Amino acid sequence: MGSDGSTPAVTGLVADFDLTPWNTMGLASRAAFGAVVTGVDQLVALAAAARAEGLAFHVIGQGSNLLLRPRIEGIVAVMATRGVSVDDRSPDTTLVTAQAGESWSGLVEHTVTQGMPGLENLAGIPGTVGAAPVQNIGAYGLELADRFHSLLAWDLAEARTRRFDGSDCGFAYRNSVFKAEAGRYVVLEVTLALPRRWTPVLGYAGLRELPPGSDALTIMRHVLAIRASKLPDWRQQGNAGSFFHNPVVTPAVAETIDGGPRFPHPDGVKLSAAWLIDACGFKGHRLGSAAVSDRHALVLVNRGGATYAEVAALATAIRDAVRSRFGVTLTQEPLEF
Ligand SMILES: Cc1cc2nc3c(=O)[nH]c(=O)nc-3n(C[C@H](O)[C@H](O)[C@H](O)COP(=O)(O)OP(=O)(O)OC[C@H]3O[C@@H](n4cnc5c(N)ncnc54)[C@H](O)[C@@H]3O)c2cc1C
């Protein structure tokens, strides 16, 4: 059934769909079937068709957190729904609702430049609004959960819409129910609560140098400048941002490692994956056309024409080296289809 109770027709489905432009790593990849989704009924119809045909159903946004295999079976739906609305009736918060296919960084720039501060620390993160809750995106001392109000999702298991508030989402560090129960929910729209009595979040390294009275526009520009100086631009050199999570280890394991940053964590000690990789000599290391960025050891880049196999082999070599030298297991951040 469609979102309004009717049975919508399948539209926009393409066989042998080219996903190469839909992943920031720039890997060549084709899906058995794919569609660019511009409306909720279209999504519902595609999901129903996949179910009826016994096909796998995948939903992606911009593909900025994905490692795509050359061939993907089933249907891949690219969320491209658009629309942003603002509800400023509450005295405490401005509620901003954006459709899943909106650009996250575009939304941040729109709200900040329109005098609605609150998202500035999350400027410049690639990807779509719909994917932002999936790994509870975060940067520079702020995460999505801090500005989250609610979201509307399509429940693929029950074929109905469901509204989630913050406590339903199971937000944690780069995690949520949408990641834990991958494949069950499609995020349709996200509502953010932007504080009317806004105070800047400047506690994170890199932002502390800003004066306490800095406005949101200044902070956003500063964040964008730091990101541009640290990370390779995926438009020039394909990448999926941080390739590994920072590992959390026991204090005993942390003791055995000589050097490198460490941060207190409720489950032990958080180490810097970038430092561990760099210490194993991988910065700038190449494997075919895949490489570890020479600017940031946590970023694997496509130097042009890299294959899934090359990136996966490089990731395995890094994981093996870090495990063998430090006894620490790195986990991969980008999801694989
Ligand atoms: C250069 C670079 C820098 C980055 N910096 C950061 C950073 O600072 N902080 C950070 O947290 N992340 C960062 N990332 C990772 C990435 O930008 C985020 O994870 C982003 O939210 C992914 O959005 P996307 O639309 O590209 O999702 P995709 O990569 O297309 O998909 C990611 C996952 O979300 C699922 N998904 C996508 N859309 C939906 C939907 N509508 N409903 C349900 N599930 C969905 C997919 O199935 C997949 O499992 C960075 C990536 C790059 C390339």
Side-chain angles (χ1 to χ4, degrees):
M1 284 217 300
S3 55
D4 66 353
S6 62
T7 307
V10 172
T11 53
L13 195 61
V14 175
D16 194 28
F17 185 83
D18 187 5
L19 285 165
T20 314
W22 296 105
N23 73 103
T24 60
M25 196 90 204
L27 298 180
S29 176
R30 300 189 89 85
F33 299 97
V36 176
V37 173
T38 53
V40 173
D41 279 354
Q42 185 190 3
L43 175 89
V44 170
L46 288 165
R51 198 170 180 159
E53 299 296 327
L55 295 172
F57 186 65
H58 304 290
V59 173
I60 69 168
Q62 196 186 354
S64 63
N65 206 23
L66 292 179
L67 186 60
L68 295 181
R69 291 190 171 81
R71 171 81 183 172
I72 298 168
E73 296 306 331
I75 299 177
V76 175
V78 181
M79 290 301 280
T81 50
R82 295 277 189 273
V84 176
S85 62
V86 176
D87 176 347
D88 54 9
R89 283 170 293 179
S90 153
D92 300 325
T93 53
T94 303
L95 297 182
V96 178
T97 299
Q99 298 305 301
E102 285 287 340
S103 148
W104 172 262
S105 57
L107 180 69
V108 174
E109 288 185 36
H110 174 73
T111 51
V112 170
T113 54
Q114 295 301 307
M116 293 176 274
L119 300 177
E120 51 289 336
N121 295 46
L122 303 177
I125 300 179
T128 55
V129 166
V134 175
Q135 74 152 0
N136 181 24
I137 56 168
Y140 296 95
L142 199 76
E143 54 185 22
L144 181 86
D146 298 322
R147 301 290 187 234
F148 182 82
H149 178 270
S150 61
L151 65 75
L152 189 68
W154 181 255
D155 182 340
L156 292 162
E158 296 185 7
R160 66 178 178 97
T161 50
R162 271 186 68 175
R163 186 155 285 281
F164 289 72
D165 66 19
S167 61
D168 301 325
C169 292
F171 285 131
Y173 175 70
R174 301 295 173 274
N175 210 348
S176 72
V177 292
F178 312 105
K179 194 171 186 180
E181 293 187 50
R184 169 142 188 196
Y185 301 108
V186 182
V187 176
L188 301 176
E189 63 177 41
V190 178
T191 300
L192 301 159
L194 306 183
R196 284 184 180 269
R197 277 181 286 279
W198 169 83
T199 49
V201 178
L202 298 176
Y204 204 81
L207 300 187
R208 285 190 207 119
E209 69 214 50
L210 286 173
S214 298
D215 63 17
L217 194 58
T218 304
I219 298 168
M220 182 177 81
R221 287 185 179 142
H222 193 71
V223 166
L224 290 171
I226 303 176
R227 293 183 72 96
S229 71
K230 277 192 174 171
L231 294 169
D233 185 341
W234 63 267
R235 292 170 205 84
Q236 286 156 21
Q237 202 170 42
N239 71 80
S242 303
F243 204 87
F244 298 101
H245 293 291
N246 286 326
V248 176
V249 299
T250 61
V253 170
E255 283 274 300
T256 65
I257 296 169
D258 199 9
R262 51 204 64 214
F263 313 92
H265 187 277
D267 298 326
V269 181
K270 186 154 88 173
L271 304 175
S272 158
W275 185 88
L276 297 169
I277 295 166
D278 201 6
C280 289
F282 273 99
K283 208 174 197 177
H285 182 83
R286 296 176 184 183
L287 195 158
S289 294
V292 178
S293 168
D294 46 20
R295 292 172 65 187
H296 200 306
L298 204 47
V299 181
L300 303 199
V301 296
N302 179 353
R303 300 181 62 249
T307 61
Y308 166 85
E310 288 173 336
V311 178
L314 180 56
T316 301
I318 292 169
R319 248 193 314 264
D320 288 351
V322 168
R323 194 184 296 117
S324 141
R325 170 142 178 218
F326 296 112
V328 173
T329 302
L330 295 179
T331 52
Q332 183 175 312
E333 183 177 311
L335 296 129
E336 292 196 22
F337 292 153

